[in-house]
Tab-separated table of all heavy atoms in Angstrom:
chain	number	residue	atom	x	y	z
A	263	ASN	N	18.463	-9.845	13.066
A	263	ASN	CA	18.187	-10.247	11.682
A	263	ASN	C	17.882	-9.029	10.904
A	263	ASN	O	17.325	-8.003	11.372
A	263	ASN	CB	16.961	-11.154	11.660
A	263	ASN	CG	17.326	-12.566	12.091
A	263	ASN	OD1	18.277	-13.162	11.587
A	263	ASN	ND2	16.585	-13.126	13.001
A	264	ASN	N	18.265	-8.992	9.608
A	264	ASN	CA	17.915	-7.916	8.675
A	264	ASN	C	18.353	-6.580	9.180
A	264	ASN	O	17.570	-5.594	9.271
A	264	ASN	CB	16.439	-7.922	8.379
A	264	ASN	CG	15.990	-9.220	7.837
A	264	ASN	OD1	16.641	-9.857	6.972
A	264	ASN	ND2	14.875	-9.791	8.373
A	265	GLN	N	19.659	-6.398	9.501
A	265	GLN	CA	20.161	-5.182	10.030
A	265	GLN	C	20.094	-4.032	9.012
A	265	GLN	O	19.904	-2.876	9.363
A	265	GLN	CB	21.588	-5.381	10.534
A	265	GLN	CG	21.696	-6.230	11.786
A	265	GLN	CD	23.091	-6.757	12.061
A	265	GLN	OE1	24.081	-6.147	11.746
A	265	GLN	NE2	23.135	-7.933	12.675
A	266	LEU	N	20.348	-4.407	7.767
A	266	LEU	CA	20.257	-3.362	6.696
A	266	LEU	C	18.779	-3.147	6.358
A	266	LEU	O	18.090	-4.079	6.072
A	266	LEU	CB	20.979	-3.839	5.426
A	266	LEU	CG	22.420	-4.366	5.548
A	266	LEU	CD1	22.950	-4.872	4.230
A	266	LEU	CD2	23.314	-3.248	6.091
A	267	LEU	N	18.380	-1.870	6.443
A	267	LEU	CA	16.969	-1.588	6.146
A	267	LEU	C	16.658	-2.015	4.731
A	267	LEU	O	15.628	-2.619	4.415
A	267	LEU	CB	16.624	-0.085	6.373
A	267	LEU	CG	15.209	0.272	6.138
A	267	LEU	CD1	14.262	-0.444	7.116
A	267	LEU	CD2	15.023	1.782	6.296
A	268	GLU	N	17.609	-1.643	3.780
A	268	GLU	CA	17.459	-2.065	2.378
A	268	GLU	C	18.802	-2.507	1.943
A	268	GLU	O	19.852	-2.130	2.567
A	268	GLU	CB	17.020	-0.859	1.530
A	268	GLU	CG	15.613	-0.384	1.825
A	268	GLU	CD	15.290	0.900	1.112
A	268	GLU	OE1	15.810	1.150	0.013
A	268	GLU	OE2	14.562	1.752	1.712
A	269	ALA	N	18.862	-3.282	0.854
A	269	ALA	CA	20.169	-3.837	0.348
A	269	ALA	C	21.155	-2.692	0.076
A	269	ALA	O	22.316	-2.822	0.339
A	269	ALA	CB	19.907	-4.659	-0.918
A	270	ARG	N	20.636	-1.537	-0.386
A	270	ARG	CA	21.536	-0.409	-0.737
A	270	ARG	C	22.318	0.073	0.480
A	270	ARG	O	23.330	0.738	0.346
A	270	ARG	CB	20.795	0.690	-1.455
A	270	ARG	CG	19.784	1.415	-0.589
A	270	ARG	CD	18.976	2.489	-1.310
A	270	ARG	NE	17.916	2.978	-0.498
A	270	ARG	CZ	18.105	4.001	0.386
A	270	ARG	NH1	19.280	4.581	0.524
A	270	ARG	NH2	17.101	4.435	1.104
A	271	HIS	N	21.801	-0.187	1.679
A	271	HIS	CA	22.543	0.258	2.882
A	271	HIS	C	23.792	-0.521	3.037
A	271	HIS	O	24.710	-0.094	3.718
A	271	HIS	CB	21.632	0.263	4.113
A	271	HIS	CG	20.528	1.261	3.999
A	271	HIS	ND1	19.198	0.899	3.889
A	271	HIS	CD2	20.538	2.631	3.895
A	271	HIS	CE1	18.434	1.971	3.774
A	271	HIS	NE2	19.253	3.018	3.789
A	272	GLY	N	23.879	-1.717	2.456
A	272	GLY	CA	25.138	-2.482	2.456
A	272	GLY	C	26.173	-1.721	1.615
A	272	GLY	O	27.381	-1.615	2.011
A	273	ASP	N	25.746	-1.186	0.457
A	273	ASP	CA	26.624	-0.406	-0.398
A	273	ASP	C	27.053	0.886	0.349
A	273	ASP	O	28.196	1.300	0.263
A	273	ASP	CB	25.899	0.036	-1.679
A	273	ASP	CG	25.402	-1.209	-2.462
A	273	ASP	OD1	26.127	-2.236	-2.467
A	273	ASP	OD2	24.305	-1.120	-3.017
A	274	ALA	N	26.099	1.480	1.075
A	274	ALA	CA	26.391	2.736	1.794
A	274	ALA	C	27.409	2.491	2.905
A	274	ALA	O	28.306	3.334	3.132
A	274	ALA	CB	25.108	3.296	2.339
A	275	LEU	N	27.305	1.355	3.553
A	275	LEU	CA	28.323	1.021	4.619
A	275	LEU	C	29.689	0.913	3.967
A	275	LEU	O	30.698	1.458	4.440
A	275	LEU	CB	27.983	-0.310	5.273
A	275	LEU	CG	26.921	-0.313	6.397
A	275	LEU	CD1	26.644	-1.707	6.851
A	275	LEU	CD2	27.418	0.503	7.595
A	276	GLN	N	29.717	0.189	2.848
A	276	GLN	CA	31.006	0.009	2.092
A	276	GLN	C	31.577	1.375	1.667
A	276	GLN	O	32.792	1.613	1.826
A	276	GLN	CB	30.682	-0.837	0.841
A	276	GLN	CG	31.876	-1.063	-0.053
A	276	GLN	CD	32.246	-2.558	-0.063
A	276	GLN	OE1	32.322	-3.207	1.017
A	276	GLN	NE2	32.571	-3.055	-1.216
A	277	ALA	N	30.679	2.244	1.187
A	277	ALA	CA	31.185	3.593	0.718
A	277	ALA	C	31.807	4.359	1.865
A	277	ALA	O	32.690	5.130	1.709
A	277	ALA	CB	29.964	4.307	0.096
A	278	ARG	N	31.269	4.136	3.106
A	278	ARG	CA	31.805	4.865	4.249
A	278	ARG	C	32.981	4.144	4.834
A	278	ARG	O	33.523	4.561	5.882
A	278	ARG	CB	30.711	4.968	5.328
A	278	ARG	CG	29.655	5.958	4.999
A	278	ARG	CD	28.580	5.987	6.059
A	278	ARG	NE	29.142	6.572	7.319
A	278	ARG	CZ	29.015	7.859	7.626
A	278	ARG	NH1	28.431	8.679	6.810
A	278	ARG	NH2	29.555	8.305	8.771
A	279	GLY	N	33.372	2.985	4.238
A	279	GLY	CA	34.557	2.253	4.713
A	279	GLY	C	34.285	1.430	5.939
A	279	GLY	O	35.186	1.104	6.697
A	280	VAL	N	33.043	1.067	6.178
A	280	VAL	CA	32.678	0.266	7.347
A	280	VAL	C	32.719	-1.217	6.917
A	280	VAL	O	32.192	-1.588	5.893
A	280	VAL	CB	31.259	0.613	7.869
A	280	VAL	CG1	30.895	-0.229	9.084
A	280	VAL	CG2	31.206	2.119	8.261
A	281	THR	N	33.287	-2.070	7.751
A	281	THR	CA	33.296	-3.500	7.530
A	281	THR	C	32.073	-4.116	8.126
A	281	THR	O	31.809	-4.014	9.326
A	281	THR	CB	34.562	-4.129	8.193
A	281	THR	OG1	35.772	-3.512	7.643
A	281	THR	CG2	34.628	-5.645	7.987
A	282	TYR	N	31.247	-4.728	7.230
A	282	TYR	CA	29.965	-5.239	7.733
A	282	TYR	C	29.961	-6.746	7.659
A	282	TYR	O	30.190	-7.387	6.593
A	282	TYR	CB	28.813	-4.706	6.864
A	282	TYR	CG	27.476	-5.355	7.072
A	282	TYR	CD1	26.884	-5.307	8.317
A	282	TYR	CD2	26.846	-6.080	6.051
A	282	TYR	CE1	25.661	-5.981	8.517
A	282	TYR	CE2	25.626	-6.745	6.235
A	282	TYR	CZ	25.046	-6.644	7.504
A	282	TYR	OH	23.867	-7.284	7.671
A	283	ALA	N	29.721	-7.414	8.788
A	283	ALA	CA	29.606	-8.864	8.869
A	283	ALA	C	28.154	-9.210	8.548
A	283	ALA	O	27.301	-8.912	9.423
A	283	ALA	CB	30.011	-9.381	10.254
A	284	PRO	N	27.844	-9.807	7.416
A	284	PRO	CA	26.456	-10.074	7.053
A	284	PRO	C	25.734	-10.769	8.213
A	284	PRO	O	26.224	-11.802	8.747
A	284	PRO	CB	26.552	-10.960	5.793
A	284	PRO	CG	27.852	-10.581	5.209
A	284	PRO	CD	28.788	-10.293	6.331
A	285	ASP	N	24.566	-10.257	8.540
A	285	ASP	CA	23.856	-10.719	9.768
A	285	ASP	C	23.597	-12.214	9.767
A	285	ASP	O	23.771	-12.895	10.787
A	285	ASP	CB	22.580	-9.937	9.987
A	285	ASP	CG	21.749	-9.733	8.744
A	285	ASP	OD1	21.939	-10.482	7.789
A	285	ASP	OD2	20.823	-8.839	8.782
A	286	TYR	N	23.187	-12.765	8.617
A	286	TYR	CA	22.798	-14.149	8.656
A	286	TYR	C	24.016	-15.098	8.803
A	286	TYR	O	23.823	-16.267	9.156
A	286	TYR	CB	21.880	-14.527	7.510
A	286	TYR	CG	22.472	-14.556	6.127
A	286	TYR	CD1	23.221	-15.701	5.669
A	286	TYR	CD2	22.358	-13.443	5.253
A	286	TYR	CE1	23.713	-15.744	4.387
A	286	TYR	CE2	22.889	-13.482	3.965
A	286	TYR	CZ	23.563	-14.629	3.557
A	286	TYR	OH	24.093	-14.668	2.259
A	287	VAL	N	25.203	-14.583	8.579
A	287	VAL	CA	26.384	-15.401	8.818
A	287	VAL	C	26.721	-15.316	10.299
A	287	VAL	O	27.021	-16.281	10.969
A	287	VAL	CB	27.591	-14.869	7.974
A	287	VAL	CG1	28.807	-15.777	8.157
A	287	VAL	CG2	27.194	-14.789	6.444
A	288	ALA	N	26.708	-14.044	10.793
A	288	ALA	CA	27.083	-13.828	12.225
A	288	ALA	C	26.132	-14.514	13.211
A	288	ALA	O	26.596	-14.980	14.261
A	288	ALA	CB	27.126	-12.344	12.471
A	289	ASN	N	24.843	-14.531	12.859
A	289	ASN	CA	23.895	-15.036	13.910
A	289	ASN	C	23.422	-16.482	13.629
A	289	ASN	O	22.416	-16.932	14.165
A	289	ASN	CB	22.712	-14.072	14.017
A	289	ASN	CG	21.748	-14.103	12.815
A	289	ASN	OD1	21.818	-15.049	11.985
A	289	ASN	ND2	20.964	-13.099	12.686
A	290	ALA	N	24.215	-17.262	12.880
A	290	ALA	CA	23.827	-18.642	12.540
A	290	ALA	C	23.980	-19.574	13.751
A	290	ALA	O	23.544	-20.758	13.656
A	290	ALA	CB	24.694	-19.153	11.393
A	291	GLY	N	24.526	-19.175	14.867
A	291	GLY	CA	24.721	-20.071	15.960
A	291	GLY	C	23.439	-20.727	16.427
A	291	GLY	O	23.414	-21.906	16.820
A	292	GLY	N	22.327	-19.975	16.395
A	292	GLY	CA	21.046	-20.518	16.818
A	292	GLY	C	20.649	-21.717	15.971
A	292	GLY	O	20.221	-22.733	16.564
A	293	VAL	N	20.731	-21.571	14.691
A	293	VAL	CA	20.326	-22.668	13.810
A	293	VAL	C	21.317	-23.825	13.915
A	293	VAL	O	20.951	-25.010	13.877
A	293	VAL	CB	20.039	-22.176	12.361
A	293	VAL	CG1	21.264	-21.829	11.639
A	293	VAL	CG2	19.201	-23.122	11.636
A	294	ILE	N	22.549	-23.522	14.118
A	294	ILE	CA	23.584	-24.570	14.312
A	294	ILE	C	23.256	-25.387	15.546
A	294	ILE	O	23.359	-26.599	15.562
A	294	ILE	CB	24.994	-23.987	14.313
A	294	ILE	CG1	25.341	-23.338	12.972
A	294	ILE	CG2	25.997	-25.074	14.687
A	294	ILE	CD1	26.653	-22.545	12.937
A	295	ASN	N	22.810	-24.650	16.579
A	295	ASN	CA	22.499	-25.358	17.851
A	295	ASN	C	21.394	-26.374	17.635
A	295	ASN	O	21.350	-27.451	18.309
A	295	ASN	CB	21.985	-24.286	18.843
A	295	ASN	CG	21.847	-24.851	20.229
A	295	ASN	OD1	22.819	-25.317	20.817
A	295	ASN	ND2	20.627	-24.767	20.766
A	296	GLY	N	20.502	-26.117	16.634
A	296	GLY	CA	19.417	-27.072	16.370
A	296	GLY	C	19.908	-28.437	15.869
A	296	GLY	O	19.159	-29.432	15.929
A	297	THR	N	21.117	-28.512	15.370
A	297	THR	CA	21.649	-29.826	14.854
A	297	THR	C	21.753	-30.860	15.938
A	297	THR	O	21.715	-32.049	15.690
A	297	THR	CB	23.027	-29.674	14.200
A	297	THR	OG1	23.905	-29.134	15.219
A	297	THR	CG2	23.008	-28.714	12.988
Side-chain angles (χ1 to χ4, degrees):
N263 283 310
N264 304 315
Q265 290 164 31
L266 307 177
L267 183 62
E268 294 170 32
R270 67 183 172 85
H271 294 113
D273 302 323
L275 278 175
Q276 177 114 317
R278 289 178 68 92
V280 179
T281 301
Y282 170 62
D285 45 18
Y286 70 84
V287 184
N289 71 17
V293 74
I294 295 172
N295 190 58
T297 59

